[in-house]
Amino acid sequence: MIPKKSKYAIQALKCLAKVYPDQGKLSIAQIAAEENISRKFLEAILLQLRHNGIVGSKMGPNGGYYLLQSPDEIVLSNIIRSTGGPIALLPCVSLNFYEPCEDCPHEELCGLHDVLLEVREASVRILSKTSLSDLINREKKLSKKNKNK
Amino acid sequence: MIPKKSKYAIQALKCLAKVYPDQGKLSIAQIAAEENISRKFLEAILLQLRHNGIVGSKMGPNGGYYLLQSPDEIVLSNIIRSTGGPIALLPCVSLNFYEPCEDCPHEELCGLHDVLLEVREASVRILSKTSLSDLINREKKLSKKNKNK
DNA sequence: TACTTATCCTATCGGATTAATATGATATAT
DNA sequence: ATATATCATATTAATCCGATAGGATAAGTA
């Protein structure tokens, strides 16, 4: 499971992506209201995203946050990792939260390790080819599909 | 991430699978020693696996635990679920730990939900086709590969 | 300059979960 | 009977997560 932090980060970035081209900038308060996220918690999240080079910010009146890359360059795997969310099912197969199993003499001989590597690769494959733009497009399609009913 | 409980369960069942055909039975103490797992913790885990119909047990001297199905019928997804390990990345896409997102008006219109469903399906596809026998076979292959070096 | 608006930053809190233990009851071989 | 093993429930200690507090800093505006 990924933490709420990662989920909120994705939601917030989706908001920023929607206003991207026109020097799109939104304040914490605006995003928090739009997505029903605790204002203070979101503040911490956006700060972290800034430290990870995903968003930029401007202080003062009329300030706010904005994307540093185009919405189709920002992919889910990157967002999840930048906010401390693990993708792998065990630390021993995690890229960013790697920790060896105690008493596993040879990781390379462990069958479970081997299978869970495959699982991680399958997950990352999907998450790293899905960008913010893709997310938005998906929602457009889903909404069309739903109207036809 | 899955809890250690699930990982230990898989290790313990792999032990039982290795002694399966000949009315294979092992005591908690034997498994705990073999796999370096806390004896008492393992006890709780095996109890849970019994309640989930995966192993059977016999009390008293010469007692112990044994598999109730053949090792190639017991798959990883089942073990993980039986020990409380979530596979999905968010509760809203989990089969066994489902919880709707608060303030997500229509789950079916959520792009993230849509993507994470794909991720879960990819993961489950692998985990539900990998049995204890497969795990053991994998380890044999890995060990051969390693000798050739 | 004074004031207001917004981000920056660090510290902290309560609650939940996790991994592990403790304790004693129950069953079954010899 | 006694020793050996599982059964069952309760408790602990540590960690993590989601959220909050409070003040510092920067930038626009009158």
Side-chain angles (χ1 to χ4, degrees):
Chain A
M1 292 265 180
I2 59 175
K4 283 199 175 178
K5 196 188 257 191
S6 298
K7 189 196 148 209
Y8 290 160
I10 294 170
Q11 289 178 253
L13 291 171
K14 198 176 68 185
C15 280
L16 291 175
K18 282 178 179 166
V19 300
Y20 175 69
D22 15 83
Q23 187 50 297
K25 202 180 358 168
L26 293 175
S27 72
I28 294 174
Q30 285 176 305
I31 302 174
E34 175 86 16
E35 298 290 328
N36 267 85
I37 304 173
S38 146
R39 208 194 147 287
K40 269 303 198 179
F41 192 27
L42 181 60
E43 195 177 323
I45 294 169
L46 286 167
L47 211 53
Q48 197 170 352
L49 289 174
R50 189 177 65 90
H51 289 143
N52 279 277
I54 295 177
V55 299
S57 65
K58 204 180 161 217
M59 288 176 95
N62 241 322
Y65 285 92
Y66 51 90
L67 298 187
L68 284 178
Q69 298 169 284
S70 112
D72 46 49
E73 288 177 297
I74 301 176
V75 294
L76 295 189
S77 53
N78 194 13
I79 303 172
I80 292 174
R81 283 181 182 139
S82 296
T83 47
I87 296 172
L89 291 183
L90 279 184
C92 71
V93 291
S94 172
L95 281 174
N96 295 260
F97 303 92
Y98 175 77
E99 246 179 85
C101 297
E102 319 143 5
D103 307 318
C104 189
H106 293 293
E107 205 163 76
E108 291 151 9
L109 302 182
C110 175
L112 182 58
H113 181 266
D114 202 44
V115 175
L116 294 190
L117 265 182
E118 274 185 29
V119 173
R120 188 208 66 196
E121 271 158 21
S123 301
V124 169
R125 197 173 303 131
I126 298 172
L127 294 173
S128 66
K129 76 158 201 268
T130 306
S131 68
L132 292 175
S133 308
D134 292 328
L135 262 196
I136 293 169
N137 281 334
R138 253 176 212 259
E139 296 193 347
K140 280 183 193 158
K141 278 183 198 166
L142 287 172
S143 144
K144 267 187 198 167
K145 226 188 223 172
N146 226 270
K147 273 182 188 163
N148 291 347
K149 289 185 183 174
Chain B
M1 293 267 180
I2 58 176
K4 284 198 175 180
K5 196 189 259 192
S6 297
K7 190 197 147 209
Y8 291 159
I10 294 170
Q11 291 178 252
L13 291 172
K14 198 176 67 185
C15 280
L16 291 176
K18 282 178 181 167
V19 300
Y20 175 68
D22 13 85
Q23 187 50 297
K25 202 181 355 170
L26 291 175
S27 72
I28 295 174
Q30 285 176 306
I31 302 174
E34 174 85 16
E35 296 291 327
N36 268 86
I37 304 173
S38 146
R39 207 192 149 289
K40 268 305 195 180
F41 192 27
L42 180 60
E43 197 177 321
I45 294 169
L46 286 167
L47 212 54
Q48 197 169 351
L49 290 174
R50 188 177 66 91
H51 289 142
N52 279 278
I54 295 177
V55 298
S57 65
K58 204 181 161 217
M59 289 176 94
N62 239 321
Y65 285 91
Y66 51 90
L67 299 186
L68 283 178
Q69 297 168 284
S70 112
D72 46 51
E73 288 177 296
I74 302 175
V75 295
L76 294 189
S77 53
N78 194 11
I79 303 173
I80 292 174
R81 283 181 184 139
S82 295
T83 49
I87 295 172
L89 290 182
L90 279 183
C92 70
V93 290
S94 172
L95 281 175
N96 295 261
F97 303 92
Y98 175 78
E99 248 178 83
C101 296
E102 319 143 4
D103 307 319
C104 188
H106 294 292
E107 205 163 77
E108 290 151 11
L109 302 181
C110 174
L112 184 58
H113 181 266
D114 202 42
V115 175
L116 295 191
L117 265 183
E118 276 186 27
V119 173
R120 188 207 66 194
E121 272 158 20
S123 301
V124 169
R125 198 172 304 130
I126 297 172
L127 294 172
S128 66
K129 76 157 201 269
T130 306
S131 66
L132 292 175
S133 308
D134 291 327
L135 263 196
I136 294 169
N137 282 333
R138 253 176 212 261
E139 296 193 348
K140 280 183 194 160
K141 277 184 198 165
L142 287 172
S143 144
K144 267 187 200 168
K145 226 188 221 170
N146 225 269
K147 273 183 188 164
N148 291 345
K149 284 184 186 172

